[in-house]
Amino acid sequence: MVQKTETKKAKQILHDVIFELQNVSESMQWFLSYDRLSELLEIRKEECLRKVYQFKAAKPQMTLSGGFHEVDGDLLIDFLAWILALDEVAEEFLKAGIFFSERPLYELRESYKTLIQKTIANHKLDQELILLLTAATIDFDDAVDSYLMDKFEIDFFVRRSIHQFLEKFDIHPEFGAEEFLYEYLKSLIPTKILNFRDITREFRDRTYYELYGRFREAKKKKKKKLVQTVSAEVKDLLAFFDLEPGANITDVKKKFKELLKKYHPDINKKGEEMTKRIILKYNRLVELIGT
């Protein structure tokens, strides 16, 4: 009976924390100070800080900055799961629409890819148009790009996959989740993570065969030139984060969090645009140097 009462109390505290974050959240950006967290946990500030330091001992990547930001969402989830002895913290954060860990974001990316593939798989090919485009552009992939852009709206796939994602997890969209996910997907579309040509590879191969009656040969990659281009881009991105060539992913993540905390709209009212730039450049850099 005592355990049930404690669990019920813990769930109520979790609900209160989530409600607090929903109230202060703006486009999935929020901050929960240690002082406010202690009030929600119904413990003294000193006790809350002691637990935070104890938690940090097991999380060396954690930086103490007076509280938890949205970029520390995974840490806050782990902290609450530890303090409250609850397993469903991440799930409740997801449903509340205030933080998405990598697992659901991966599902969103896969849903986006699948939606595109299923839609174009059922599409009746306009052979005349694509032949005209091929003749005009010379490069077959460029022609297919133009063809698909003419027939479909990328924004439709983005919006539709987000809508399905929100429905699947029963997520509250009113706290900025929909806008956040939209910006998230749009930022990945120009990258290798959601490369449009890779997603539509099967359609391209099938179209080529229908037009010319043979399988197309794979293009030879100019490896040396590609490496030079990527290296130059990595260097520029590292410079943006004030890092030297050779910095590892841990260094990048640390700088990323520092910059976000500096330009977070809750702290810097003029920092919204800079925050978007930071996130876009971080996503690109992580893609290039690995996780």
Side-chain angles (χ1 to χ4, degrees), residues 256-280:
F256 172 65
K257 289 186 177 183
E258 288 177 3
L259 285 177
L260 274 188
K261 289 171 183 176
K262 179 179 179 181
Y263 290 101
H264 193 287
D266 285 348
I267 299 172
N268 186 339
K269 293 182 179 180
K270 297 181 180 180
E272 185 174 352
E273 289 302 318
M274 185 59 174
T275 298
K276 290 180 181 179
R277 286 185 63 203
I278 292 168
I279 293 172
L280 287 173

Side-chain angles (χ1 to χ4, degrees), residues 139-241:
D139 184 83
F140 178 74
D141 276 317
D142 287 344
V144 175
D145 287 341
S146 298
Y147 177 84
L148 291 175
M149 292 304 103
D150 178 72
K151 298 294 183 181
F152 304 101
E153 289 285 343
I154 290 295
D155 207 61
F156 163 78
F157 294 122
V158 173
R159 296 285 187 188
R160 182 61 181 165
S161 55
I162 290 173
H163 177 72
Q164 292 174 344
F165 176 80
L166 294 174
E167 279 195 338
K168 177 180 179 180
F169 291 102
D170 192 25
I171 296 170
H172 295 288
E174 60 266 33
F175 302 103
E178 190 168 0
E179 293 82 1
F180 169 82
L181 294 172
Y182 179 80
E183 292 297 329
Y184 172 77
L185 279 184
K186 293 287 281 188
S187 71
L188 293 179
I189 287 174
T191 72
K192 293 179 181 178
I193 298 174
L194 292 182
N195 183 273
F196 189 67
R197 290 189 177 183
D198 289 340
I199 295 172
T200 57
R201 181 62 53 199
E202 185 176 335
F203 172 81
R204 292 166 189 271
D205 292 341
R206 176 167 55 84
T207 298
Y208 190 92
Y209 187 83
E210 286 185 23
L211 292 176
Y212 304 110
R214 66 179 187 276
F215 297 106
R216 61 177 180 154
E217 297 179 1
K219 290 183 179 180
K220 294 182 179 180
K221 296 181 179 179
K222 299 178 180 179
K223 293 184 178 179
K224 188 173 182 180
K225 186 175 181 181
L226 178 62
V227 170
Q228 291 174 344
T229 302
V230 170
S231 297
E233 185 177 1
V234 168
K235 186 176 180 180
D236 290 342
L237 289 168
L238 287 172
F240 176 82
F241 288 99

Side-chain angles (χ1 to χ4, degrees), residues 77-134:
I77 287 171
D78 289 345
F79 179 75
L80 291 172
W82 171 59
I83 291 292
L84 301 175
L86 293 174
D87 296 326
E88 64 266 30
V89 179
E91 181 182 349
E92 293 302 318
F93 266 61
L94 175 63
K95 288 181 179 179
I98 52 176
F99 180 76
F100 301 115
S101 61
E102 174 55 25
R103 182 188 61 80
L105 289 178
Y106 171 80
E107 288 197 32
L108 174 62
R109 296 195 299 268
E110 292 303 302
S111 174
Y112 169 78
K113 294 177 185 178
T114 301
L115 180 62
I116 292 176
Q117 290 164 347
K118 285 184 176 180
T119 302
I120 64 176
N122 296 322
H123 170 68
K124 185 177 180 181
L125 186 66
D126 185 342
Q127 292 192 3
E128 184 177 349
L129 175 58
I130 202 163
L131 283 170
L132 285 172
L133 290 170
T134 303

